Amino acid sequence: MEFSSRSRQKHLRLAGDRRELYPHSLQFYLEPPTESIALVEFESFAIDRLRLLKVVENLGVSCVRSSDSYKAKLESELRKLKFPYRALAEDDYEARRKDHISHFILRLAYCQSEDLRRWFLQQEMDLFRYRFSQLTESLMQKFLEHVNLSFEAVTEDQKLELAHELSASTPGLSVPKVKEQMFYKVGLVDAVDLFRTRRVFIKDGFAYVPFKEIDAIVLNNYRIKLSKALALTARSLPSIQSDERLQPLLNHLSHSYVGPDYSVQKNTGKISLEQIDALSVKSFPLCMRQLHKALRDSHHLRHGGRMQYGLFLKGIGLTLEQALEFWKKEFIRGKVDADKFDKGYAYSIRHNYGREGKRTDYTPYSCMKIIMSNPPSQGDYHGCPFRHSDPELLKQKLQSYKVPPSGITQILELVKGMHYQLACQKYFELTHEVDDVGFSLNHPNQYFTESQRLLSGGREPKKELSNSGNSQQKNNSQESMNSNLTPTSSNTTADAELEGLEAYFTED
Ligand code: SF4
């Protein structure tokens, strides 16, 4: 792919119309795009695919994959984002092109670490599985030929001759059902999973695979190809990293979330310092609750914690004056005296609010940034507890926050599957007593905003909060509520600028 400025975009798009490249709406993404593409389009394609994969991840945990609601929700998202949503439409060149290019952009962004590769592979596999299942029989056949997986169909005569063997070796298929099904002769290498689990009839070095099992073979083939491609792409990273236009974009994507950046607050000054303790219990996500508690307990946070928590507090509405008062009051209760605070720490807080240095209005960290970068070490409290805590410690913490045992088990399962944001959503559901979180979590400040909206009656809770602690929380929240807590801003983040800011936070 080559990249161009916006002004050349129209010309290049016309020149690059290559319908013959996409004979099918589905593909294994074997050939990278070779056309020129504007950086604007590059970024918008990538962000749309990231949105789509996040929906795939969410649905994969909240719905049964073969259920009608899973299919309906995924189709609706594909339509909304203008990706090919059904293989039936022949004239969906734009959607196919977007699908192809966006896959390769995210492949570049998500090949950079083992965690990213695994996440990308999982979501792409789920997306492929859904789209393959939507193909009609003839389109499926056409697709198999397209990807060189055209297996020989077993003739009617052969099938009748082997009907009893096929029925006995294929779970769930009676002889009459065998007669209705198409069977394919598949080489053993392609059918390893099926014959290992004794789900197919084997004869003369071929597995006799019923049509309904072909998807397992195709998916396995796709998984192998995509895993290899990701590993190969990772090896070519040094050359990609030397492209100064591309690297910041790819880094941004792999640390990115899609939503507001919470750098502009409509609620600035509407939260009092006295409310923070109560808010930390009822409306802070676990990462911020942990930081707040550590600050109150030890009257200090190291610089990673001050950055993460300070920008979050700014995002929920603390003014610069409030922030200075908040941090100073707490620090001087520990080992830092007022003079040292004014000289050492006040500057960095003003910097945080864009009043010093480059005067940039810094953005609170998204979940992806917290999860993917700067892991905490001994004595640190920043990071994401779902990602960075030992499971046993996480379990104890959740127990101490009165999360029910069954909920803890669900959270730990999600953590085990590396679905950290989904684990956090589950924590939200359990602590707010709602059945469905109703949003896709990407940002700690989004968690706070949604919590406040729910507690203020903006959304219906599952049932009346029953224990006195929770009732108290609800009352408090209603007092502190304001309906304008959702900030609006552009999608841009200031990761690069934050690195500059971190230099000001050298003092532990
Ligand atoms: Fe914080 Fe996001 Fe982790 Fe939740 S998922 S604890 S909001 S970083």
Side-chain angles (χ1 to χ4, degrees):
M1 263 182 289
E2 286 182 12
F3 311 99
S4 65
S5 68
R6 188 197 289 265
S7 58
R8 293 177 58 213
Q9 183 181 359
K10 194 173 173 206
H11 166 75
L12 288 166
R13 287 292 317 287
L14 289 174
D17 192 327
R18 304 164 182 194
R19 283 167 202 271
E20 73 282 0
L21 282 181
Y22 309 120
H24 205 281
S25 65
L26 199 56
Q27 55 169 311
F28 272 175
Y29 309 101
L30 300 177
E31 298 295 331
T34 52
E35 65 178 283
S36 297
I37 176 172
L39 281 170
V40 175
E41 197 175 34
F42 179 95
E43 192 167 18
S44 86
F45 277 11
I47 287 176
D48 279 356
R49 194 174 194 94
L50 193 51
R51 270 183 220 279
L52 177 64
L53 295 188
K54 284 191 179 278
V55 170
V56 171
E57 182 189 26
N58 249 322
L59 289 176
V61 177
S62 58
C63 301
V64 176
R65 285 201 184 88
S66 55
S67 69
D68 288 344
S69 80
Y70 178 92
K71 290 176 183 168
K73 284 179 186 162
L74 199 42
E75 176 174 330
S76 143
E77 197 64 20
L78 286 163
R79 273 175 192 261
K80 197 167 81 193
L81 295 170
K82 298 194 167 49
F83 284 104
Y85 64 89
R86 211 171 265 169
L88 304 174
E90 288 297 325
D91 189 24
D92 58 355
Y93 167 72
E94 289 298 340
R96 292 179 188 191
R97 174 177 172 269
K98 178 176 180 176
D99 179 47
H100 181 217
I101 294 174
S102 64
H103 169 92
F104 273 93
I105 300 171
L106 286 204
R107 194 190 275 189
L108 282 177
Y110 281 77
C111 72
Q112 304 188 43
S113 74
E114 185 56 38
D115 274 0
L116 291 173
R117 284 195 288 273
R118 204 171 308 150
W119 183 85
F120 179 72
L121 184 65
Q122 176 68 48
Q123 311 325 321
E124 285 285 337
M125 289 297 299
D126 282 356
L127 179 61
F128 184 90
R129 180 184 291 108
Y130 161 75
R131 291 164 82 188
F132 187 74
S133 74
Q134 296 305 295
L135 297 181
T136 61
E137 209 166 296
S138 67
L139 282 171
M140 212 177 266
Q141 195 66 50
K142 196 173 148 197
F143 175 71
L144 292 177
E145 282 163 21
H146 176 57
V147 294
N148 290 328
L149 282 178
S150 46
F151 306 117
E152 186 190 333
V154 176
T155 63
E156 278 304 303
D157 288 349
Q158 267 183 314
K159 198 168 73 177
L160 290 177
E161 201 180 301
L162 296 169
H164 287 284
E165 287 90 337
L166 290 171
S167 169
S169 315
T170 319
L173 285 191
S174 58
V175 172
K177 282 204 170 146
V178 163
K179 289 179 182 165
E180 288 165 14
Q181 279 270 323
M182 287 271 288
F183 275 79
Y184 293 88
K185 285 168 75 173
V186 176
L188 291 184
V189 179
D190 286 321
V192 176
D193 284 347
L194 290 173
F195 81 75
R196 204 170 40 204
T197 50
R198 296 170 188 265
R199 280 154 59 203
V200 281
F201 175 62
I202 309 279
K203 186 170 184 255
D204 299 334
F206 285 99
Y208 283 59
V209 180
F211 181 71
K212 70 181 180 70
E213 298 278 17
I214 282 289
D215 60 344
I217 292 174
V218 176
L219 278 161
N220 194 36
N221 205 285
Y222 179 52
R223 178 188 293 279
I224 292 167
K225 287 190 165 69
L226 186 51
S227 303
K228 276 189 191 157
L230 280 166
L232 274 175
T233 314
R235 265 192 249 159
S236 61
L237 267 182
S239 64
I240 295 161
Q241 279 161 345
S242 64
D243 188 320
E244 61 192 27
R245 296 164 305 167
L246 211 49
Q247 188 50 27
L249 273 174
L250 295 177
N251 268 346
H252 169 70
L253 283 169
S254 61
H255 288 155
S256 184
Y257 86 105
V258 277
D261 68 7
Y262 297 93
S263 61
V264 180
Q265 308 84 38
K266 285 183 178 173
N267 52 320
T268 302
K270 292 190 177 155
I271 283 172
S272 73
L273 296 188
E274 290 67 44
Q275 289 173 314
I276 294 181
D277 284 330
L279 285 171
S280 76
V281 174
K282 66 189 179 211
S283 285
F284 282 15
L286 204 52
C287 53
M288 301 304 168
R289 190 171 177 179
Q290 166 174 290
L291 281 163
H292 183 75
K293 185 168 184 318
L295 177 65
R296 288 290 194 230
D297 288 350
S298 61
H299 316 298
H300 192 269
L301 282 180
R302 295 171 75 181
H303 100 269
R306 295 199 299 275
M307 288 292 294
Q308 184 175 319
Y309 190 40
L311 289 169
F312 169 80
L313 289 175
K314 179 185 162 198
I316 70 168
L318 250 58
T319 63
L320 170 61
E321 293 66 33
Q322 285 180 308
L324 286 166
E325 186 187 337
F326 173 77
W327 289 100
K328 186 170 183 174
K329 263 189 183 162
E330 202 58 52
F331 271 46
I332 59 176
R333 292 178 67 200
K335 292 184 187 150
V336 177
D337 63 32
D339 190 45
K340 187 175 177 197
F341 182 88
D342 290 340
K343 285 185 182 141
Y345 296 93
Y347 179 91
S348 58
I349 294 167
R350 285 198 299 276
H351 197 278
N352 221 339
Y353 278 73
R355 306 288 174 83
E356 300 283 0
K358 286 190 282 180
R359 300 192 177 260
T360 307
D361 198 10
Y362 291 100
T363 314
Y365 292 174
S366 68
C367 292
M368 281 303 265
K369 179 169 174 68
I370 295 171
I371 290 169
M372 300 306 300
S373 51
N374 189 23
S377 25
Q378 188 77 19
D380 284 331
Y381 292 91
H382 68 269
C384 170
F386 298 106
R387 168 67 181 90
H388 298 118
S389 289
D390 175 82
E392 195 48 43
L393 288 178
L394 178 62
K395 185 175 168 186
Q396 285 170 20
K397 186 166 289 174
L398 294 169
Q399 280 167 342
S400 72
Y401 291 162
K402 307 276 182 290
V403 176
S406 62
I408 295 178
T409 309
Q410 286 175 288
I411 289 176
L412 293 177
E413 273 302 306
L414 287 166
V415 166
K416 205 165 139 195
M418 299 194 307
H419 302 297
Y420 309 118
Q421 285 152 276
L422 297 179
C424 190
Q425 285 182 196
K426 180 55 72 184
Y427 172 77
F428 184 104
E429 285 171 8
L430 294 162
T431 51
H432 291 77
E433 303 198 10
V434 286
D435 284 332
D436 182 358
V437 69
F439 61 94
S440 174
L441 177 74
N442 292 306
H443 203 293
N445 289 77
Q446 178 195 17
Y447 183 107
F448 176 80
T449 304
E450 292 290 343
S451 167
Q452 290 283 287
R453 194 157 69 85
L454 183 81
L455 294 171
S456 69
R459 277 176 59 199
E460 282 295 307
K462 179 172 68 175
K463 56 192 170 204
E464 270 306 304
L465 301 178
S466 52
N467 66 46
S468 59
N470 282 342
S471 309
Q472 182 63 40
Q473 286 174 12
K474 193 175 182 189
N475 293 337
N476 284 349
S477 72
Q478 283 168 341
E479 282 163 22
S480 65
M481 204 52 51
N482 81 76
S483 58
N484 264 336
L485 279 174
T486 308
T488 55
S489 70
S490 72
N491 266 337
T492 52
T493 59
D495 283 357
E497 289 157 343
L498 282 170
E499 272 147 35
L501 174 62
E502 281 167 9
Y504 291 94
F505 281 81
T506 48
E507 196 166 359
D508 272 347

